[in-house]
Amino acid sequence: MRDHGGNLDEARAAWGQGDWIDLSTGINRQPYPLPSLPPEAWTNLPAASAQAALLEAAATAFGTAAPGLAVAGAQAAIQMIPLLETPGLARVLAPTYNEHAACLRQAGWRVEEVGRLEALSGADLAIVVNPNNPDGRHHRGEALRRLSVGMLVVDESFADPAPGESLVAEASDRLLVLRSFGKFWGLAGLRLGFVYAGGDVIRRLSALAGPWPVSGPALEVGRIALGDRDWRERTIRRLSGEAARLDRLARGAGWTLAGGTHLFRLYETPDARQAQAALAQHHVWTRRFPYSDAWLRLGLPGNEGEWQRLEAALGA
């Protein structure tokens, strides 16, 4: 099922309009402050020099010299990657972000979802989300390097708060690494992401993406935000403390930590449907999964008022 968080229309249809706190995604709710943009960011077609400046800032922020391509969110890369090779056998380490398998199937690949990293071996194309969404499962680089696959795609969309095991510096024509901008920097509506690979793969992806894959405002905001090292370090420290705060609230509600990252937490609940509905009555929206009756995922509240509302809803 291609269901996703952020589906507030569904929440409003069931529980009414009003002031909702959307914790159904892993998007940072304290976003990077939007800078003032020059008028030409809006009025001119995106320039090649602006794309190059963004990629330079991203390479420094992510710590890579590998060829890269900026795209309209990591989702854009997920949709293009199945078109790079003649469809064959693809294996996806699951459960995970469901668009990987869905886009592969749509492009004609035979898709197998497997539960162990080692079971990916032998695939023409393998997908690992690292750290994983929704359970935060993490695989060390040495284990990923040992995989015997035709092409390995490592989706690092949630890696920014803890980048130590990133493979982005090793990206090649057989190892593709995806990075997100909207999640950690909290600007998902900007639609900006990156794919890193060898030069041949980047050239082919660039042809698929077309001449203006990223808007002028996204190029400018991304360049500025990615270069702000102080904001990034402060945000990592804040998210670490707030993830622990959310765990304490969840324990008080009788939930058990099942996994997560600094941007979202996954809990085992007695009844996920009931838990989601109880919070929704207080206009707090969370993420439930069709394959689990127990799992409920929450992002982190964005300010003290939201924390207090969540605490009150959990205690109601």
Side-chain angles (χ1 to χ4, degrees):
M1 293 179 61
R2 296 175 80 155
D3 63 312
H4 301 287
N7 53 338
L8 275 179
D9 287 342
E10 178 182 328
R12 291 184 175 117
W15 286 279
Q17 301 295 318
D19 181 18
W20 282 84
I21 302 173
D22 186 7
L23 303 184
S24 68
T25 74
I27 297 166
N28 181 1
R29 289 181 62 80
Q30 290 191 32
Y32 187 82
L34 285 172
S36 297
L37 299 182
E40 55 267 27
W42 299 97
T43 60
N44 295 356
L45 285 172
S49 58
Q51 296 181 48
L54 170 65
L55 286 174
E56 182 178 355
T60 299
F62 299 147
T64 183
L69 177 68
V71 291
Q75 177 66 33
I78 291 169
Q79 292 175 205
M80 290 189 294
I81 286 169
L83 306 179
L84 287 172
E85 304 281 345
T86 301
L89 172 61
R91 289 185 176 139
V92 179
L93 188 62
T96 194
Y97 181 57
N98 59 53
E99 284 292 328
H100 286 287
C103 291
L104 286 162
R105 290 190 177 103
Q106 190 169 23
W109 288 78
R110 179 165 59 92
V111 178
E112 296 178 357
E113 298 186 45
V114 301
R116 295 182 302 105
L117 186 68
E118 298 77 12
L120 295 171
S121 290
D124 301 305
L125 175 62
I127 308 288
V128 179
V129 179
N130 197 46
N132 190 44
N133 173 16
D135 60 8
R137 180 171 41 166
H138 182 269
H139 300 279
R140 298 184 65 84
E142 59 193 43
L144 295 170
R145 295 184 195 97
R146 285 198 299 267
L147 291 172
S148 178
V149 299
M151 178 182 285
L152 175 63
V153 177
V154 181
D155 183 345
E156 296 184 349
S157 288
F158 287 99
D160 291 285
E165 283 291 324
S166 173
L167 292 183
V168 68
E170 302 175 37
S172 68
D173 283 337
R174 309 314 299 174
L175 171 62
L176 282 65
V177 180
L178 309 184
R179 297 297 292 250
S180 173
F181 176 83
K183 296 176 179 66
F184 177 74
W185 278 270
L187 297 171
L190 204 65
R191 306 311 305 138
L192 178 61
F194 302 88
V195 55
Y196 291 91
D200 180 61
V201 166
I202 292 299
R203 283 188 290 272
R204 291 160 63 198
L205 286 172
S206 182
L208 288 169
W212 306 292
V214 176
S215 72
L219 292 174
E220 187 69 8
V221 172
R223 178 187 64 81
I224 294 169
L226 286 162
D228 193 338
R229 182 173 180 177
D230 289 343
W231 184 90
R232 180 176 186 167
E233 292 178 349
R234 289 196 309 271
T235 299
I236 290 173
R237 291 193 297 271
R238 175 183 60 80
L239 291 172
S240 177
E242 291 185 350
R245 180 179 180 179
L246 187 56
D247 289 346
R248 290 192 295 271
L249 290 180
R251 283 197 301 271
W255 301 350
T256 303
L257 181 66
T261 70
H262 287 349
L263 285 165
F264 63 82
R265 313 301 281 169
L266 182 70
Y267 300 107
E268 291 269 359
T269 71
D271 185 328
R273 183 183 296 273
Q274 181 184 40
Q276 184 187 54
L279 290 175
Q281 290 173 4
H282 297 268
H283 284 187
V284 176
W285 191 231
T286 56
R287 177 78 159 95
R288 193 166 52 82
F289 300 92
Y291 48 80
S292 174
D293 293 331
W295 280 5
L296 195 70
R297 193 191 68 194
L298 281 72
L300 305 180
N303 55 54
E304 190 58 33
E306 290 188 356
W307 280 103
Q308 291 175 8
R309 281 182 57 188
L310 175 60
E311 185 171 5
L314 286 169

